[in-house]
Amino acid sequence: MNNKKALRIVKKTPEYLLKTLVILVFIFPFYWMLSTAFKTYAEAIATPPTLWPADLIIENFAKAWNSGPFLTYTKNSVIVTLSVIVIQYIIMVPAAYGFARFNFRGKNLLFAIVLIAFMMPGQIVFIPVYLMLAKWDLLKTLLPQILPFAANAFGIFLLRQYFMQVPEEIIEAAKLDNAKEHQIMFKIMMPMAKSAMMTVALFSFISRWNDYFWPLVMTNDESLRPLTVGIAMLKDAEGIVNWHVIMAGNTILVIPIILIYIFASRQIVKAFVYSGIK
């Protein structure tokens, strides 16, 4: 018995080593960011580098926060992120329900357009979108960071897959109780697709909260810039060699994402397992 157990452990050793290596590859950048955020300037640029700060310097976070209007940056990030998520729900839930439960002319073509939008990177369309928003005189507002992301192609796709897997018997039973289409959508479909909806919300939050390129292009006023652009400007405000301050700013940016992911990660697994997406 002991020999079998030892043999099984030996066979599993390469697998365990590979998993450990993958975990270290993903975790180490975050660890390095966090440790550098607590280092002094001298220790941050020391060669060879230290893996753990000799003294925990929490003043780096104050320096990063006070280097600019970070409260304004944070407010803009929160407004943009939450607005995008709310508008996406208003659009994608009825769209996904329509694609899943109705047959109409041009349905396949319209869904193909949704898939094309899903696969198309935003950098391809930023010039025409910028010119259009400039023509509408919206560049002096937060709307250029919100309106282009009002429709979430991935969310429509994922919710459609979820809605299609809801048993037809449940829908028929609701119709026998004189339930209207909007009641079926809001009271049956959405609660049953809670995991998928939380997954889409999390992905949208991470995408918009971390977005740097689009706000940088669409804003030229400091009062409209989000937290990502503000932290990038630390290189100009504090000097490109002051990595301890820059990493403190990055830590401020990353903490909300990590906290939200910790609470929502289980829902993400449920969403993809249930919908059959691998």
Side-chain angles (χ1 to χ4, degrees):
M1 185 67 181
N2 292 334
N3 291 335
K4 289 183 178 180
K5 185 176 180 180
L7 183 60
R8 188 165 59 249
I9 293 174
V10 170
K11 289 181 178 180
K12 288 286 186 179
T13 298
E15 179 184 345
Y16 295 149
L17 291 176
L18 181 59
K19 288 180 178 179
T20 303
L21 179 62
V22 171
I23 292 172
L24 290 175
V25 168
F26 279 95
I27 289 180
F28 185 76
F30 294 97
Y31 168 77
W32 187 256
M33 174 190 69
L34 188 61
S35 65
T36 305
F38 288 97
K39 292 179 180 179
T40 62
Y41 169 77
E43 191 175 6
I45 63 172
T47 304
T50 56
L51 293 178
W52 183 257
D55 298 308
L56 297 179
I57 310 298
I58 61 175
E59 288 82 3
N60 294 336
F61 294 90
K63 288 180 181 178
W65 186 264
N66 295 326
S67 63
F70 262 62
L71 189 60
T72 300
Y73 297 151
T74 305
K75 181 191 69 174
N76 292 338
S77 291
V78 171
I79 292 174
V80 169
T81 303
L82 294 182
S83 299
V84 167
I85 292 174
V86 170
I87 296 174
Q88 283 182 353
Y89 273 137
I90 294 173
I91 294 175
M92 72 183 177
V93 172
Y97 182 77
F99 281 124
R101 291 297 167 181
F102 295 109
N103 291 316
F104 51 89
R105 182 177 298 178
K107 172 183 175 180
N108 293 332
L109 176 61
L110 291 175
F111 189 67
I113 294 174
V114 171
L115 294 180
I116 292 173
F118 175 30
M119 295 180 286
M120 185 179 297
Q123 288 81 355
I124 294 178
V125 298
F126 83 91
I127 293 179
V129 171
Y130 178 87
L131 295 176
M132 179 178 65
L133 294 172
K135 185 177 180 180
W136 293 350
D137 197 25
L138 295 177
L139 294 181
K140 296 181 179 180
T141 67
L142 291 174
L143 292 177
Q145 302 176 59
I146 299 174
L147 293 181
F149 306 99
N152 188 335
F154 170 73
I156 294 173
F157 169 75
L158 184 62
L159 288 179
R160 171 184 174 271
Q161 300 301 110
Y162 241 82
F163 291 162
M164 289 178 65
Q165 295 186 27
V166 174
E168 193 66 33
E169 293 79 6
I170 297 178
I171 307 299
E172 294 299 328
K175 290 181 178 179
L176 289 175
D177 289 335
N178 296 322
K180 305 298 182 182
E181 292 294 344
H182 69 276
Q183 292 175 321
I184 295 173
M185 182 172 61
F186 288 112
K187 294 185 178 181
I188 297 177
M189 293 293 197
M190 289 178 63
M192 295 186 71
K194 181 177 66 173
S195 297
M197 295 184 67
M198 290 186 64
T199 299
V200 174
L202 178 62
F203 285 174
S204 295
F205 176 85
I206 293 174
S207 178
R208 300 279 58 82
W209 187 265
N210 276 343
D211 195 10
Y212 172 76
F213 172 78
W214 196 271
L216 182 65
V217 172
M218 295 295 169
T219 60
N220 54 14
D221 188 342
E222 199 172 58
S223 64
L224 299 174
R225 286 171 173 160
L227 199 56
T228 48
V229 178
I231 290 174
M233 292 174 65
L234 285 174
K235 293 182 179 180
D236 299 326
E238 297 291 340
I240 195 170
V241 295
N242 287 341
W243 291 110
H244 57 312
V245 178
I246 296 172
M247 292 302 177
N250 285 330
T251 302
I252 295 173
L253 178 68
V254 168
I255 284 176
I257 297 175
I258 294 176
L259 292 177
I260 292 177
Y261 178 77
I262 290 172
F263 289 107
S265 59
R266 189 172 298 177
Q267 298 296 331
I268 294 177
V269 175
K270 288 182 181 179
F272 285 102
V273 169
Y274 180 79
S275 63
I277 299 174
K278 297 182 180 179

